[in-house]
Amino acid sequence: MKFCTVKQYFDDENNNNVTNGIATTVIPLPNKHLKIKANNKEMEQYEQELLRNVMPQELTKLILAANYLNFKEALDFFCRTVANAIQNKSVDYVRKFFGLESDFEPGEEEKLCKEFAWSFEGVDED
Amino acid sequence: MSEAESSSKIKTHRTATELSSSSSSLFALLNDDVLQNILARLPALSFASATCVSKLWNRVCNRVLSRPKFASALSLDPCPFGAVEDVLDKVLSEPIRPHFVIANIARGFELPDTFGPIVRRFKRTPIVISIANGLIGRDALTNEFREANWGATDGDSDDEYGSNIEDTNHGIVLTIGYVPGLKVDAIPLLGNPWEPKVAMTDKFVKDIKKYTASVSGCTSPVGIIMFGERLVDLKPHIDVLDYAMPKETVIVGDERGRFRYNSKGFCGNGYCEDAVALVFARDRHKSSGVGDIQFRVALSNGVSAIGPKYKAASVTLDGPNSPRRTTSTWLTARREGDRDILDGQTMLDDISNELDYHYELYPLYIGVTKQRNYCIRSKEKTITSLAFHRVRGGGEGSLYVDGFNIRTGDYFQFYRSDRNNASVNLKSLKQDGSSNNCHHKRAVPVNIKKEIFGGFIFSCCGCSDSFFKRRNLVSSPFIEDFPGVPLAGVFCGGEIVRASSGLIEESNKEKSSRCCLHVGSTVYLVMSYACPEC
């Protein structure tokens, strides 16, 4: 049921979205997930480990893989991991983390920052 | 930051600079839905940062927060700092942008202790924090829905500043709201302790209309949530407000408390404030994708009239003769049509004997029909309305009631607590009410779907759990009819409610006179959102 797209993947030779390495990480995931589903603490630890060992673009690839494979649990898991990684971080940190650049006009960004000034206290700087 | 985090941070930096181009192009492959999945998990502060990262993220964040949202949490932790932290964490644990903040605390907490941290957290946001006789909300830690009703203090003490050291009532309920399409500000009703005049109400009404006009282009606010100062008789102010405000404006509130507020555009002038109003006005510059928010109200009327009509004969004020204080009144009366003047004891005996109502055990009120002259915008105007006074007893030949501003010749009736009158149909609030809002120039489709996104309850503290022996008595109707919708509320000493017939659902409509200040009742404020594309 979850793996209908996996079959498709193996049939499709010219697939660029999912590299083999990623597939080996993503596919064992449901087994692990089932095993530790009951125990949230272990899940958190696994999550932290994943975060430490995996660089942002790796994580991005994992997400893309999970999305392509239509694997909802893994997708939610990775998204949660990313969300935790950028929690309480400054706007600049988030940009660096994802390799994004601000595409706002100078005035626009200032206006936004002013509007959201209430939230910028107590945020971890880079 | 931990060592592990800092090492991964360094890795991030190196990697980011080396491979930023490939990483960004990879990241760009993520579709909006996945990005939305990530951003919707962020707590409010991080979510605000995310909104400023790039145009794409800004767009996705606006999709996450496309509808109005309420968030509220309750803590009954005896430590004020712990309680405030718990509710703040809970309320800010999901994406939300605060357009207004309402905090209600128990008498055992100090206003400065709790006001400080909240104001620091929410800069440039209208905030009202008030002391209530009881709190209603969902526990921040256990998620259990709770009502804590501590009842009123026995006889309002004249001592404004002293608090009962043994006061063991602890708790806070914090509500924040995101209301796109509306703008909110806190507007004070200023009082002059030496010369209380209705002229201050004039300024209050003017301020409200001016603010509304600057936001909406018309002078009709969608709704007002008010908190009054308990040592002030709010009735004349409410009467004028009722007269001066357009019919569509819904007004709810707590008549008696103590409060502090933070306003964007208004400040106190060094005098005490008699009340503060959170005014909600439609933003005329709102984008077309944003729907309409409406205030709807349900009134569960917990009192009903008993006995004959009386006409007040002699009326004497008790206590220091200062109009600013809620003192008490001694009065005698005659039955309508009779000539004999009755003393307090006779009237009360009539009630308990003939009508079998033990006024010593259950709350008893008189509902006085008052015809008063007000000077509104330099014009004399007579306004008639019903006001309730709690009966404290009868002795020394007179009936003894709370409050003042009763005059010889006023008609009154006794009112008793009556739960039979109280059931109210909340589901009907989901239907489209008549909305003659000045902005609805285009025809509104008849079967427009409304979504209820939040509720706030003002309930009389006299309706305590122990009295009626049922858990979560006042909030159950709301929780059953609108499961999952954030709800908070307070138990108060007088419920303010004013709404035109299309916007209010009443449990019984027996009162003939206009009445905005209720007792023994429960007011449900229900916020609804009409989605434009639904």
Side-chain angles (χ1 to χ4, degrees), chain B residues 99-120:
Chain B
H99 285 165
F100 69 90
V101 177
I102 298 177
N104 307 99
I105 62 177
R107 280 196 303 277
F109 281 4
E110 294 293 328
L111 270 175
D113 284 348
T114 41
F115 191 55
I118 294 177
V119 167
R120 281 194 290 276

Side-chain angles (χ1 to χ4, degrees), chain B residues 315-364:
Chain B
V315 174
T316 324
L317 268 183
D318 182 40
N321 199 356
S322 151
R324 229 193 148 232
R325 310 208 153 217
T326 18
T327 49
S328 308
T329 305
W330 297 100
L331 54 96
T332 62
R334 46 166 73 90
R335 279 204 205 189
E336 195 178 24
D338 274 0
R339 295 200 52 185
D340 300 329
I341 294 188
L342 305 168
D343 64 28
Q345 202 51 55
T346 319
M347 286 190 264
L348 291 174
D349 286 343
D350 285 347
I351 298 292
S352 57
N353 297 337
E354 289 183 25
L355 301 154
D356 195 27
Y357 185 73
H358 297 280
Y359 61 86
E360 306 96 337
L361 301 175
Y362 302 130
L364 180 68

